[in-house]
């Protein structure tokens, strides 16, 4: 044995393929002593025998086997690892690597089955995870030592024959014989799942034991997560799905949507933290996905539509934080935000439609009430005529005040609704583009349900530019205009808005009701930016006319001062004229109304007319009495019978041109019938009725005429006299003008609105034809459907033309030989140059 040990020692230290030995023979100690005392002896290299003796191989393996078993028993302190390494090296070097590898496999397997597995099975009901973890750690430690001893086999034999490395072999054997042994495998899975469920229920568990078990399963996968997935993760995910499926159903049935959302968010955070703490990190995304499916996706509709707590409830009661929590939660799953957006869109459309329908109902109700009051008054008895008339006047005035506010309140309600949902968009929905698009789409939908919105929006802007400047800074006015432009963008009939805006702007400019030219021009700039120069060209022309008129009046007054004889031509009147370009300013009538002005007023106007035409030859000036105003010095007399004295009261009455013409009649005669007034003034019936009602049937502080008899209806035989009992705290009294048919929601009457609509339709015919000609001139030849689509796209910024109307305009152009149909295809058009 000593000679063999000497050969092994020499072989290990020299690392050659042969062994070193002395020439003096194979003796152990004697040979070495002789070699050291004889300097003449020389060293020579000799090879090991080609084949090792079987008995010798068994002896070496027996040594290694005993050493491996001692390592597994933790009795490795007395082992010489250097010696063991040499023995393993020798076996592999002499082609006995297979014996060593298979022997190792048998020894490890035997130990795992007879010792380790038995101990683990004995601990199934007592400290199972602790015992398994201890066995796993001991096995790992042992395999590391064994791997170091058999390192040469790992480098040579394992790589040459493509078998598992020693350490991996130990892992696989532990997996197959211990961890995946049926009883142990099932108990390990159930134990881990039970511990996780206990923690979900709020009980304390040994997190480190779970973490060690999961790490063991991941390690046993040997660079793969298959073992971890099959033995734990897959059943864990299945059980989690079932757990949260039941929990979500029970919790949803007992709690509100906001509480459920917070619970879901809490559960997701718990599972994410649990996965990061003691499960494999790759499990986090998978378990979170399970929770998202079971807690959110499966109940999306139920959550958002939950009565008294869903999205409708949150929107109605401004639950911004709850909506934001729902948004973040639903953003985790596919189509989650679409579900919220659908519900929000339904609520918004419902609110918008209620506003629109409420406005329509109020307008219809006001019209019905006015008609009923009129009928009741006409059929009332003579005895109660005066009392009924007074009551109906009060009701009419209340309705008038309410109706005048309707357009303003209606638009303000839309703006408030938009501002409210913009706040939802920013705070609750994080300015998400999906929700922004839905909000804009919904507003465009219900804003265009009411054909009066363009008129109401113009009235709203008119109110702000006419009254709103008082008490508001320029920045606040600009903010209101910006909000109005938001609604303007939703309008499909922008051309209708343009017509109304021109009318309201004209009244503000002509009646000096616009208190800020800067605000007016600022609004026109906004419209110009939104719709282009063509949209605002006439509005800008109106402002230009006002500037030129001011300059013209300065020249006119200078001319009068230079020619003193012409001062008498104005008959003592302070005349101010504005010259309006026909194409820029809106006109209510196609045929200009007639009106017999008082002599002094007519002479003053003729004086200005001669001056203007001397400056601008070839032009025509036509008086527009419906757009003028006048200040009258009025003197009222009151007889004091007891003192036999007459007291006078002087007021300045601010009236319209028509009202001025009527009042001037009473300077020559005290009593006038309605028929006499009509014949004398030649004012159109509609305007005359409005003027007379304003003077004789308005509120007492503006009632400068008295009517006999005192009833609501005005007949041709009714007599009018000056109201000597007229009193007012104001020296300058403004007499308003009411509508003869009663105002409709503060805007136009139904006949006026119908007339405006007809004018808009006429203008649209020309715009559609112009668009068709432009397109065909560029394309030369085009199919019907493509032409209709192109025309619609071009005109969409102003209005949405109907395909039927477009077809009619095409037919009209064909009749007038602008277009022609092809002979082979009747739906194909060609441009006729």
């Amino acid at each position: 044995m000593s000679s063999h040990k000497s050969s092994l020692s020499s072989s290990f230290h020299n690392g050659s393929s042969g062994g070193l030995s002395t020439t003096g023979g194979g003796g152990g100690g004697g040979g070495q002593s002789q070699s050291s005392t004889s300097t003449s002896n020389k060293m020579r290299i000799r090879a090991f025998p080609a084949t090792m003796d079987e008995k010798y191989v068994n002896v070496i393996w027996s040594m290694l086997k005993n050493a491996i078993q001692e390592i597994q028993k933790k009795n490795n302190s007395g082992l010489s690892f250097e010696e063991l390494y040499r023995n393993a090296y020798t076996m592999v070097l002499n082609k006995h690597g297979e014996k060593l590898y298979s022997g190792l496999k048998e020894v490890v397997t035997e130990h795992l089955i007879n010792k380790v597995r038995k101990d683990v099975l004995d601990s199934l009901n007592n400290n199972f995870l602790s015992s398994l973890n201890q066995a796993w750690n001991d096995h790992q430690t042992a395999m590391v030592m064994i791997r170091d001893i058999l390192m040469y086999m790992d480098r040579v034999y394992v790589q040459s024959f493509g078998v598992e490395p020693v350490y991996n072999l130990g892992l696989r054997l532990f997996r197959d014989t211990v961890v995946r042994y049926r009883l142990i495998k099932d108990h390990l899975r159930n134990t881990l799942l039970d511990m996780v469920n206990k923690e979900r229920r709020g009980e304390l568990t040994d997190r480190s034991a779970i973490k060690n078990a999961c790490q063991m399963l991941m390690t046993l996968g040997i660079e793969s997560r298959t073992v971890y997935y099959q033995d734990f993760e897959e059943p864990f995910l299945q059980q989690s799905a079932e757990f949260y499926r039941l929990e979500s159903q029970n919790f949803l049935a007992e709690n509100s949507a906001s509480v459920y959302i917070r619970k879901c968010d809490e559960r997701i955070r718990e599972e994410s933290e649990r996965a990061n703490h003691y499960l494999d990190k790759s499990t986090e995304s998978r378990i979170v996905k399970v929770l998202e499916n079971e807690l959110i996706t499966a109940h999306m509709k139920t959550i958002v539509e939950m009565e008294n707590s869903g999205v409708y409830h949150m929107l109605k009661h401004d639950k911004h934080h709850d909506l934001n929590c729902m948004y973040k939660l639903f953003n985790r799953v596919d189509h989650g935000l679409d579900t919220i957006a659908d519900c929000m869109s339904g609520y918004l459309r419902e609110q918008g439609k209620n506003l629109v329908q409420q406005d329509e109902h109020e307008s219809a109700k006001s019209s019905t009430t006015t008609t009923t009051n009129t009928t009741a008054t006409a059929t009332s008895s003579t005895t109660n005529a005066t009392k009924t008339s007074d009551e109906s006047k009060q009701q009419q005035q209340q309705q008038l005040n309410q109706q005048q506010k309707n357009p303003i309140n209606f638009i303000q309600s839309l703006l408030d609704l938009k501002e409210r949902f913009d706040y939802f968009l920013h705070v609750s929905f994080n300015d998400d583009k999906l929700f922004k698009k839905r909000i804009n789409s919904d507003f465009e939908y219900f804003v265009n349900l009411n054909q009066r919105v363009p008129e109401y929006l113009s009235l709203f802007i008119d109110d702000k530019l006419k009254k709103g400047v008082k008490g508001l800074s320029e920045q606040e006015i600009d903010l209101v205009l910006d909000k109005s432009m938001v609604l303007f963008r939703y309008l499909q009939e922008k051309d209708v808005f343009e017509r109304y805006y021109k009318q309201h702007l004209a009244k503000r400019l002509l009646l000096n009701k616009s208190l800020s030219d800067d605000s007016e021009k600022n609004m026109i700039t906004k419209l110009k930016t939104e719709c282009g120069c063509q949209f605002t060209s006439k509005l800008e022309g109106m402002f230009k006319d006002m500037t030129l008129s001011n300059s013209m009046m300065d020249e006119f007054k200078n001319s009068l001062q230079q020619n003193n004889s012409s001062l008498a031509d104005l008959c003592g009147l302070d005349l101010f004229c504005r010259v309006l370009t026909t194409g820029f300013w809106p006109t209510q009538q196609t045929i200009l109304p007639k009106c017999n002005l008082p002599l002094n007023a007519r002479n003053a106007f003729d004086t200005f007319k001669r001056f203007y035409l001397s400056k601008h030859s070839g032009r025509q000036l036509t008086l527009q009495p419906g757009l003028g105003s006048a200040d009258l010095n009025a003197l009222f007399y009151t007889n004091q019978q007891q003192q036999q004295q007459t007291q006078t009261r002087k007021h300045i009455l601010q009236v319209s041109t028509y009202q001025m013409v009527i009042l001037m009649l009473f300077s020559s005669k005290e009593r006038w019938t309605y028929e006499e007034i009509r014949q004398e003034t030649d004012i159109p019936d509609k305007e005359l009725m409005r003027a007379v009602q304003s003077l004789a049937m308005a509120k007492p502080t503006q009632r400068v005429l008295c009517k006999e008899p005192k009833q609501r209806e005005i007949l041709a035989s009714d007599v009018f006299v000056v109201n000597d009992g007229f009193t007012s705290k104001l020296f300058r009294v403004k007499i308003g003008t009411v509508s003869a048919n009663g105002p409709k929601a503060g805007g136009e009457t139904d006949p006026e609105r119908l007339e405006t609509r007809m004018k808009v339709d006429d203008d649209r015919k020309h715009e559609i034809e112009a668009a068709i000609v432009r397109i065909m001139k560029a394309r030369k030849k085009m199919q019907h459907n493509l032409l209709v689509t192109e025309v619609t796209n071009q005109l969409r910024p102003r209005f949405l033309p109907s395909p039927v109307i477009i077809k009619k305009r095409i037919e009209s152009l064909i009749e007038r030989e602008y277009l022609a149909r092809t002979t082979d295809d009747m739906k194909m058009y060609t441009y006729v140059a």
Side-chain angles (χ1 to χ4, degrees):
M1 286 298 292
S2 62
S3 61
H4 288 297
K5 289 182 179 179
S6 177
S7 298
L8 286 171
S9 178
S10 300
S11 174
F12 179 79
H13 288 294
N14 289 278
S16 60
S17 59
L20 287 177
S21 62
T22 61
T23 58
Q32 291 180 357
S33 177
Q34 184 178 2
S35 174
S36 61
T37 56
S38 176
T39 58
S40 60
N41 294 334
K42 296 182 179 179
M43 302 290 292
R44 68 180 180 86
I45 297 176
R46 64 177 181 84
F48 279 114
T51 57
M52 292 182 64
D53 182 71
E54 187 68 25
K55 182 179 178 181
Y56 176 62
V57 173
N58 291 334
V59 171
I60 295 177
W61 164 241
S62 178
M63 292 174 57
L64 291 172
K65 179 179 179 181
N66 291 334
I68 292 172
Q69 290 174 341
E70 291 300 316
I71 290 173
Q72 291 174 332
K73 295 176 183 178
K74 303 182 183 179
N75 296 328
N76 54 302
S77 58
L79 299 177
S80 172
F81 284 88
E82 181 179 354
E83 180 181 354
L84 295 173
Y85 178 88
R86 292 192 219 108
N87 290 336
Y89 175 85
T90 302
M91 288 189 67
V92 175
L93 190 65
N94 289 277
K95 311 301 182 185
H96 292 285
E98 183 179 357
K99 180 177 180 65
L100 179 59
Y101 190 84
S102 59
L104 170 67
K105 185 175 181 181
E106 292 175 1
V107 173
V108 173
T109 302
E110 181 183 359
H111 172 73
L112 291 175
I113 293 175
N114 297 333
K115 179 67 172 71
V116 176
R117 189 166 75 187
K118 183 177 180 301
D119 292 343
V120 173
L121 288 173
D122 291 340
S123 66
L124 286 180
N125 298 318
N126 185 23
N127 295 327
F128 168 70
L129 288 183
S130 177
S131 299
L132 179 61
N133 183 57
Q134 184 62 46
W136 164 245
N137 290 332
D138 292 344
H139 180 70
Q140 281 184 297
T141 303
M143 289 309 303
V144 169
M145 295 181 181
I146 295 171
R147 179 190 61 190
D148 292 342
I149 294 172
L150 305 179
M151 188 181 297
Y152 188 73
M153 182 177 70
D154 258 351
R155 291 202 306 264
V156 178
Y157 175 79
V158 169
Q159 294 184 8
S160 299
F161 290 88
V163 293
E164 286 182 292
V166 173
Y167 187 76
N168 289 354
L169 174 65
L171 297 182
R172 182 176 63 80
L173 293 176
F174 188 86
R175 178 193 70 193
D176 295 341
T177 58
V178 179
V179 175
R180 284 198 162 177
Y181 184 68
R182 184 173 57 83
L183 293 178
I184 297 176
K185 177 181 179 181
D186 294 343
H187 193 72
L188 174 62
R189 180 186 65 247
N190 294 335
T191 300
L192 293 177
L193 296 180
D194 288 343
M195 293 179 70
V196 172
N197 273 347
K198 286 182 179 179
E199 189 176 68
R200 286 171 176 163
R201 292 191 294 267
E203 301 179 25
L204 294 178
T205 58
D206 188 355
R207 284 191 160 196
S208 60
I210 304 176
K211 182 177 182 179
N212 292 333
C214 291
Q215 289 178 345
M216 176 190 71
L217 294 175
M218 283 297 296
T219 304
L220 292 175
I222 309 174
E223 299 181 357
S224 169
R225 62 190 315 276
T226 305
V227 176
Y228 173 79
Y229 174 74
Q230 293 177 350
D231 290 12
F232 172 73
E233 187 180 73
E234 185 178 20
F236 167 72
L237 296 177
Q238 293 174 352
Q239 187 196 55
S240 299
E242 183 62 27
F243 176 85
Y244 285 112
R245 184 180 299 115
L246 295 176
E247 184 182 72
S248 63
Q249 292 173 356
N250 296 332
F251 202 82
L252 200 58
E254 299 172 357
N255 295 276
S256 64
S258 57
V259 175
Y260 180 80
I261 289 169
R262 287 194 289 271
K263 182 69 174 180
C264 291
D265 186 61
E266 179 184 348
R267 280 301 199 184
I268 291 175
R269 282 189 283 105
E270 287 177 359
E271 290 294 339
S272 179
E273 187 269 339
R274 183 176 296 116
N276 283 321
H277 193 273
Y278 58 75
L279 303 181
D280 185 66
K281 291 183 178 180
S282 61
T283 305
E284 180 186 4
S285 60
R286 293 174 170 83
I287 184 61
V288 168
K289 186 67 176 177
V290 169
L291 265 69
E292 290 173 350
N293 290 335
E294 298 301 331
L295 299 181
I296 307 173
T297 305
H299 305 290
M300 285 194 299
K301 281 284 186 182
T302 305
I303 298 171
V304 300
E305 296 175 0
M306 189 176 291
E307 188 176 0
N308 296 326
S309 65
V311 172
Y312 267 57
H313 177 82
M314 294 177 184
L315 291 170
K316 182 178 180 180
H317 295 88
D318 297 330
K319 304 287 187 179
H320 301 103
H321 179 69
D322 290 344
L323 277 173
N324 186 248
C325 292
M326 180 181 289
Y327 169 83
K328 293 178 179 178
L329 192 68
F330 279 48
N331 196 24
R332 292 174 168 271
V333 300
D334 294 336
H335 308 297
L337 297 184
D338 289 328
T339 305
I340 301 178
D342 290 341
C343 197
M344 180 208 69
S345 179
Y347 174 80
L348 178 54
R349 292 200 176 200
E350 179 183 326
Q351 295 297 306
K353 289 173 68 176
N354 287 341
L355 283 177
V356 173
Q357 293 171 355
Q358 182 180 4
D359 172 75
E360 292 177 346
H361 292 335
E362 286 181 356
S363 299
K365 183 179 179 180
S366 299
S367 177
T368 304
T369 304
T370 303
T371 304
T372 304
N373 288 337
T374 303
T375 304
T377 304
T379 57
S380 62
S381 63
T382 306
T383 305
N384 298 325
T386 304
K387 181 178 179 180
T388 306
S389 176
D390 292 338
E391 292 178 352
S392 65
K393 288 176 183 177
Q394 294 177 359
Q395 294 177 359
Q396 180 188 16
Q397 189 60 44
Q398 292 176 356
Q399 293 171 10
L400 174 62
N401 295 335
Q402 181 180 2
Q403 290 165 1
Q404 287 176 340
K405 295 179 181 178
N406 279 344
I408 313 303
N409 294 339
F410 174 72
I411 296 299
Q412 188 60 54
S413 298
L414 289 177
L415 292 177
D416 292 343
L417 186 63
K418 182 65 169 64
E419 185 176 3
R420 182 176 168 221
F421 272 82
D422 283 343
Y423 190 76
F424 278 125
L425 176 65
H426 178 67
V427 175
S428 302
F429 303 129
N430 296 350
D431 292 320
D432 192 284
K433 292 182 179 179
L434 171 64
F435 289 87
K436 184 176 182 180
K437 184 177 180 181
R438 287 292 187 91
I439 291 173
N440 290 334
S441 175
D442 295 336
F443 266 88
E444 183 176 357
Y445 164 73
F446 60 72
V447 161
N448 291 285
L449 290 177
N450 190 343
Q451 292 185 347
R452 298 177 180 179
V453 172
E455 177 191 2
Y456 286 1
L457 181 59
S458 180
L459 284 169
F460 177 82
I461 298 173
D462 176 67
D463 179 74
K464 300 306 176 184
L465 294 178
K466 182 171 54 179
K467 303 175 183 178
V469 177
K470 296 180 180 179
L472 295 178
S473 64
E474 291 186 3
Q475 291 78 9
E476 291 172 325
I477 289 295
D478 188 61
L479 181 61
V480 172
L481 296 181
D482 285 336
K483 292 180 179 179
S484 302
M485 288 303 298
V486 173
L487 288 185
F488 173 76
R489 295 187 186 98
Y490 295 137
L491 293 179
Q492 293 179 349
E493 296 183 322
K494 292 182 175 63
D495 56 336
V496 178
F497 171 85
E498 179 190 9
R499 176 169 287 274
Y500 283 114
Y501 190 80
K502 284 170 59 179
Q503 294 176 8
H504 297 146
L505 175 61
K507 291 181 180 179
R508 290 198 301 274
L509 295 178
L510 296 177
L511 301 178
N512 293 322
K513 291 185 177 180
S514 178
L515 300 180
S516 173
D517 287 345
D518 292 337
S519 296
E520 294 283 4
K521 293 178 180 179
N522 187 19
M523 183 62 192
I524 293 177
T525 301
K526 295 180 187 296
L527 292 172
K528 186 176 183 179
T529 303
E530 188 69 26
C531 301
C533 300
Q534 183 180 0
F535 191 89
T536 58
S537 59
K538 294 182 180 180
L539 304 179
E540 293 172 337
M542 294 165 67
F543 270 96
K544 184 178 179 181
D545 282 349
M546 296 298 292
T547 303
L548 294 177
S549 295
N550 292 333
S551 301
M552 180 62 65
M553 289 308 300
D554 291 339
E555 294 181 16
F556 176 61
K557 291 180 180 180
N558 291 333
S559 175
L560 292 178
Q561 291 176 357
Q562 294 175 3
N563 187 4
N564 293 330
S565 61
S566 298
L567 290 175
D569 295 339
L570 294 183
C571 303
L573 299 181
D574 184 8
L575 180 67
F576 189 92
C577 295
R578 293 186 177 90
V579 181
L580 312 180
T581 305
T582 303
F584 293 158
W585 297 79
T587 55
Q588 298 296 330
Q589 296 88 6
T590 56
I591 300 177
L592 293 177
K594 297 179 181 180
C595 179
N596 294 328
L597 294 176
L599 181 60
N600 52 355
R602 184 165 61 249
N603 291 337
F605 172 71
D606 290 339
T607 301
F608 174 78
K609 184 176 182 180
R610 288 192 299 270
F611 168 79
Y612 181 82
L613 294 179
S614 66
K615 296 286 185 180
H616 305 279
S617 61
R619 296 188 182 181
Q620 291 184 352
L621 275 184
T622 306
L623 184 66
Q624 290 274 5
L627 300 178
S629 61
D631 289 348
L632 294 179
N633 289 320
L635 199 60
F636 295 90
Y637 298 90
T638 302
N639 292 325
Q640 300 290 339
Q641 296 180 357
Q642 296 179 354
Q643 301 178 0
Q644 295 182 353
Q645 294 180 355
T646 301
Q647 294 184 350
T648 60
R649 298 181 312 281
K650 188 176 181 180
H651 293 279
I652 295 179
L653 304 180
Q654 294 179 313
V655 295
S656 68
T657 302
Y658 291 134
Q659 292 170 340
M660 179 269 294
V661 172
I662 296 172
L663 291 176
M664 290 296 290
L665 295 177
F666 292 90
S667 297
S668 59
K669 183 178 175 182
E670 292 185 2
R671 301 172 63 88
W672 290 85
T673 65
Y674 181 81
E675 182 62 28
E676 290 174 344
I677 294 175
R678 177 166 54 189
Q679 292 178 358
E680 186 69 21
T681 62
D682 202 17
I683 298 175
D685 289 342
K686 180 179 177 181
E687 299 298 334
L688 179 61
M689 181 66 71
R690 294 178 61 193
V692 171
Q693 282 184 331
S694 302
L695 294 171
M697 302 175 67
K699 56 185 179 180
T701 56
Q702 295 183 1
R703 200 175 298 167
V704 296
L705 296 180
C706 290
K707 173 181 171 293
E708 297 176 1
K710 293 182 178 181
Q711 60 184 20
R712 182 175 179 80
E713 291 183 348
I714 297 179
L715 303 177
S717 59
D718 290 349
V719 178
F720 295 88
V721 297
V722 175
N723 179 18
D724 289 331
F726 173 80
T727 58
S728 176
K729 296 179 180 179
L730 302 176
F731 176 71
R732 186 180 293 270
V733 180
K734 179 176 176 57
I735 307 299
T737 303
V738 299
S739 172
N741 296 325
K744 298 294 181 180
E748 291 184 322
T749 62
D750 288 339
E752 290 172 343
R753 188 173 290 111
L754 180 61
E755 181 181 354
T756 301
R757 176 61 62 174
M758 292 175 62
K759 292 179 180 178
V760 170
D761 291 340
D762 289 339
D763 291 341
R764 286 181 176 180
K765 291 178 182 179
H766 302 303
E767 292 189 48
I768 293 173
E769 289 181 353
I772 294 172
V773 171
R774 282 197 306 270
I775 295 170
M776 292 302 298
K777 189 174 182 179
R779 303 289 182 87
K780 304 300 181 184
K781 190 176 182 180
M782 206 169 187
Q783 199 265 347
H784 174 79
N785 291 336
L786 295 178
L787 178 59
V788 171
T789 302
E790 188 69 23
V791 171
T792 302
N793 292 335
Q794 280 198 13
L795 297 177
R796 190 184 299 274
R798 284 185 58 80
F799 63 93
L800 192 63
S802 168
V804 177
I805 302 298
I806 296 176
K807 184 178 181 181
K808 289 182 179 180
R809 301 331 306 158
I810 293 175
E811 296 292 342
S812 176
L813 290 172
I814 292 176
E815 291 176 2
R816 287 178 284 162
E817 297 183 352
Y818 284 92
L819 305 179
R821 287 189 173 92
T822 59
T823 56
D824 55 340
D825 188 356
M826 298 298 289
K827 291 187 177 182
M828 185 68 69
Y829 305 118
T830 58
Y831 176 70
V832 179

